[in-house]
């Protein structure tokens, strides 16, 4: 079998000859888009998603729902047809729920949201739904979802792997009720059960039994989005028991939803301002959000920048200096690769903590970051739950991505300050950030408004 040229090609990471000054329109949030697709598919009436992210992960989610009988119609909406608010023209997806059914085969790629959010949906389908994906998807933990669904009444054939590939034998309904899971390796285990919980006969009560729970903002995002479509959800924050979430059975409403920009995907562009001492504006940055990427305002400010929310969006400016940081990233682990890249260029050491679960992401991100930064001359040490980074003078070389989009953008950040960095398989950024190379080079070489 011949290797895909896109996976072996080397992309010369652009070197910044001066301070950046650009406005970058970041595409919609993957996390919001894929949750919204699931909720719309389970609703009792059609709905709209405005400005959804069109990327590999979201197209895999849409394709999987289509395979199970859901209508996903892609259109270009004019502003005159948008009921959800002004300035929401552009791409829109019409979601038309229907009877979920098999037989069907779902390609999850290497998307955690697809492989974890859809087995509960498949349990509600009438007929068998087979799940398969990229080789790396076989290594990612899925036992929390599989075991929980079995306890709730689902029939799943995974040949004892606790991982892909597997088949969910949908019976058209699921009893639901109380279930205990250990979601220490992924908060998506909790979100997956909550998203489909309103459609279970008894709803669902999810009790997390593990000692840690990473990425809590993503669970809060799930809860907020459920409530927005009419679900009743009791949470620890609303006076419930610690580590227990309850969803009452009931119908979900169709929504007309504008998808927020993906704030985690804004990270490399904000990092560019920090690294070059320039300014980047990200329009439509929300004033209130559950997205983990909002923590960048605090973290990158501590590392030497400054930011302000204005009518233009988030204006972020670097000071020309980059400082090391000691930070717990347990709730925002997906930001670790970009923060590690910036930390490798800082004027003092950094310690990134609380992210042992990153060993189970698209790749083992802690091992990958350590290897790739060190091969450029860096001094990174893995710890039990993170990284310790001592800045060193770096040199050019090949930065491998391991089919991980956030590794690719981390390498691009380093390339701003280090000549001769070549990114292997930059095309992997299409997983969540389509057209990244064009946005990146445009930001550096053609200041103005990018990404429209």
């Amino acid at each position: 079998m011949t290797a895909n040229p896109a996976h072996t090609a080397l992309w010369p990471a652009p070197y910044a000859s001066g301070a950046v000054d650009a406005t970058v329109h970041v595409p919609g949030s993957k996390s919001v888009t894929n949750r919204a697709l699931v909720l719309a598919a389970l609703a009792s009436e059609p709905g709209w998603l405005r400005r959804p992210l069109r990327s590999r992960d979201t197209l895999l989610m849409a394709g999987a729902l289509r395979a199970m009988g859901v209508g996903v119609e892609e259109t270009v909406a004019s502003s005159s047809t948008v009921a959800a608010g002004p300035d929401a023209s552009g791409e829109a997806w019409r979601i038309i729920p229907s009877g979920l059914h098999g037989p069907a085969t779902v390609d999850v790629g290497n998307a955690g949201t697809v492989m974890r959010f859809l087995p509960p949906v498949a349990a509600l389908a009438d007929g068998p739904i087979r799940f398969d994906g990229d080789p790396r998807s076989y290594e990612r933990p899925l036992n929390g979802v599989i075991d929980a669904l079995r306890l709730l009444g689902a029939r799943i054939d995974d040949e004892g792997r606790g991982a892909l590939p597997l088949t969910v034998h949908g019976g058209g309904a699921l009893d639901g009720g109380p279930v205990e899971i250990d979601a220490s390796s992924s908060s998506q285990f909790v979100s997956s059960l909550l998203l489909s919980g309103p459609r279970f006969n008894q709803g669902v009560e999810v009790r997390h039994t593990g000692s840690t729970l990473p990425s809590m903002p993503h669970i809060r995002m799930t809860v907020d989005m459920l409530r927005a479509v009419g679900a009743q959800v009791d949470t620890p924050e609303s006076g419930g028991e610690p580590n227990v979430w309850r969803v009452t059975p009931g119908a979900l409403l169709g929504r007309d939803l504008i998808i927020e920009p993906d704030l985690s995907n804004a990270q490399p562009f904000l990092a560019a301002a920090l690294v070059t001492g320039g300014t980047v504006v990200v329009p439509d940055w929300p004033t209130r959000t559950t997205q983990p990427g909002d923590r960048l305002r605090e973290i990158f400010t501590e590392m030497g920048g400054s930011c302000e929310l204005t009518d233009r969006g988030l204006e972020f400016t670097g000071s020309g200096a980059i400082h090391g940081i000691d930070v717990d990233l347990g709730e925002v682990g997906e930001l670790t690769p970009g923060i590690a890249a910036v930390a490798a260029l800082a004027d003092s050491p950094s310690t990134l903590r609380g992210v042992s679960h990153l060993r189970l992401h698209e790749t083992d991100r802690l091992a990958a970051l350590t290897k790739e930064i060190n091969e450029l001359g860096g001094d990174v040490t893995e710890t039990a739950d993170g990284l310790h980074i001592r800045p060193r003078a770096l040199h050019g070389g090949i930065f491998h991505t391991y089919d991980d989009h956030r590794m690719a953008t981390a390498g691009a950040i380093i390339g701003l300050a280090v000549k001769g960095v070549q990114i292997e398989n930059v095309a992997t950024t299409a997983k969540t950030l389509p057209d990244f190379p064009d946005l990146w080079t445009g930001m550096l070489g053609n200041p103005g408004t990018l990404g429209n």
Side-chain angles (χ1 to χ4, degrees):
M1 182 174 171
T2 304
N4 185 332
H7 292 182
T8 56
L10 297 179
W11 180 67
Y15 176 79
S17 56
V20 302
D21 181 8
T23 296
V24 181
H25 284 269
V26 177
S29 164
K30 177 204 72 174
S31 298
V32 174
T33 299
N34 274 358
R35 282 166 173 78
L37 279 168
V38 172
L39 292 172
L42 296 174
S44 58
E45 57 192 348
W48 284 95
L49 303 188
R50 314 283 183 181
R51 297 201 296 225
L53 174 66
R54 170 180 280 275
S55 72
R56 187 186 185 211
D57 279 17
T58 59
L59 293 175
L60 285 168
M61 181 69 85
L65 292 170
R66 285 192 188 103
M68 288 189 272
V70 177
V72 183
E73 300 175 353
E74 302 177 28
T75 67
V76 176
S78 67
S79 57
S80 61
T81 67
V82 176
D87 195 28
S89 59
E91 185 159 3
W93 293 354
R94 176 78 160 165
I95 315 300
I96 304 171
S98 61
L100 297 165
H101 60 79
T105 297
V106 167
D107 177 11
V108 310
N110 191 18
T113 52
V114 181
M115 71 179 72
R116 291 168 182 149
F117 292 177
L118 288 188
V121 177
L124 297 167
D126 184 7
I129 311 292
R130 177 171 172 79
F131 290 82
D132 208 338
D134 298 351
R136 170 63 181 174
S137 71
Y138 294 5
E139 303 171 22
R140 301 185 67 182
L142 203 56
N143 56 297
V145 176
I146 294 170
D147 294 345
L149 286 175
R150 285 183 175 138
L151 289 170
L152 295 173
R155 185 161 69 93
I156 301 175
D157 177 14
D158 67 339
E159 298 180 356
R161 286 183 296 268
L164 292 172
L166 60 83
T167 298
V168 179
H169 296 275
L174 195 68
D175 288 341
V179 67
E180 294 186 352
I181 64 170
D182 183 349
S184 299
S185 59
S186 177
S187 68
Q188 289 175 352
F189 293 171
V190 174
S191 287
S192 71
L193 298 170
L194 300 184
L195 286 167
S196 292
R199 289 287 303 274
F200 299 165
N201 294 338
Q202 303 173 43
V204 71
E205 176 187 288
V206 181
R207 185 179 298 269
H208 167 60
T209 60
S211 57
T212 61
L213 185 57
S215 303
M216 271 298 297
H218 278 127
I219 296 180
R220 288 193 284 270
M221 176 187 294
T222 298
V223 170
D224 279 6
M225 293 184 69
L226 275 162
R227 287 172 172 162
V229 295
Q232 181 179 328
V233 189
D234 295 322
T235 70
E237 293 87 352
S238 60
E241 296 179 61
N243 292 324
V244 177
W245 294 263
R246 294 183 181 89
V247 180
T248 302
L252 299 178
L253 306 173
R255 283 279 321 268
D256 196 327
L257 178 68
I258 300 177
I259 305 297
E260 297 176 355
D262 192 313
L263 306 188
S264 295
N265 277 341
Q267 181 180 40
F269 304 103
L270 301 183
L274 188 56
V275 169
T276 68
T279 297
V280 167
V281 178
V282 179
D284 303 317
W285 194 286
T287 55
R288 177 190 175 277
T289 181
T290 52
Q291 287 193 62
D294 198 43
R295 273 282 304 279
L296 288 167
R297 293 192 288 163
E298 168 197 336
I299 293 168
F300 277 173
T301 295
E302 187 174 341
M303 295 186 80
S306 61
C307 65
E308 183 180 5
L309 273 173
T310 71
D311 292 342
R312 298 174 63 202
L314 181 72
E315 297 185 16
F316 188 86
T317 301
S319 63
I322 307 170
H323 310 310
I325 192 171
D326 186 330
V327 62
D328 187 330
L329 299 175
E331 291 202 346
V332 293
E334 65 197 53
L335 304 180
T336 302
I339 293 169
V342 173
L345 304 170
D347 57 15
S348 58
S350 295
T351 299
L352 313 183
R353 294 177 281 106
V355 288
S356 59
H357 60 285
L358 294 189
R359 296 187 170 98
L360 301 170
H361 275 226
E362 281 82 346
T363 187
D364 178 340
R365 285 179 171 165
L366 300 184
L369 287 165
T370 300
K371 179 176 182 294
E372 297 309 313
I373 295 174
N374 286 352
E375 289 196 353
L376 299 182
D379 184 359
V380 181
T381 305
E382 275 194 69
T383 65
D385 71 339
L387 300 172
H388 186 62
I389 302 167
R390 304 169 191 82
R392 296 286 186 270
L394 302 181
H395 55 72
I398 296 174
F399 195 93
H400 297 91
T401 63
Y402 310 88
D403 293 324
D404 186 336
H405 56 130
R406 300 208 192 279
M407 287 296 297
T409 53
I413 292 168
I414 293 173
L416 290 172
V418 179
K419 291 182 178 179
V421 174
Q422 298 182 84
I423 311 297
E424 171 259 346
N425 187 17
V426 75
T428 195
T429 52
K431 176 180 170 68
T432 62
L433 187 51
D435 304 320
F436 169 74
D438 289 342
L439 284 171
W440 195 248
T441 55
M443 172 190 69
L444 293 168
N446 183 25
T449 300
L450 307 172
N452 282 337

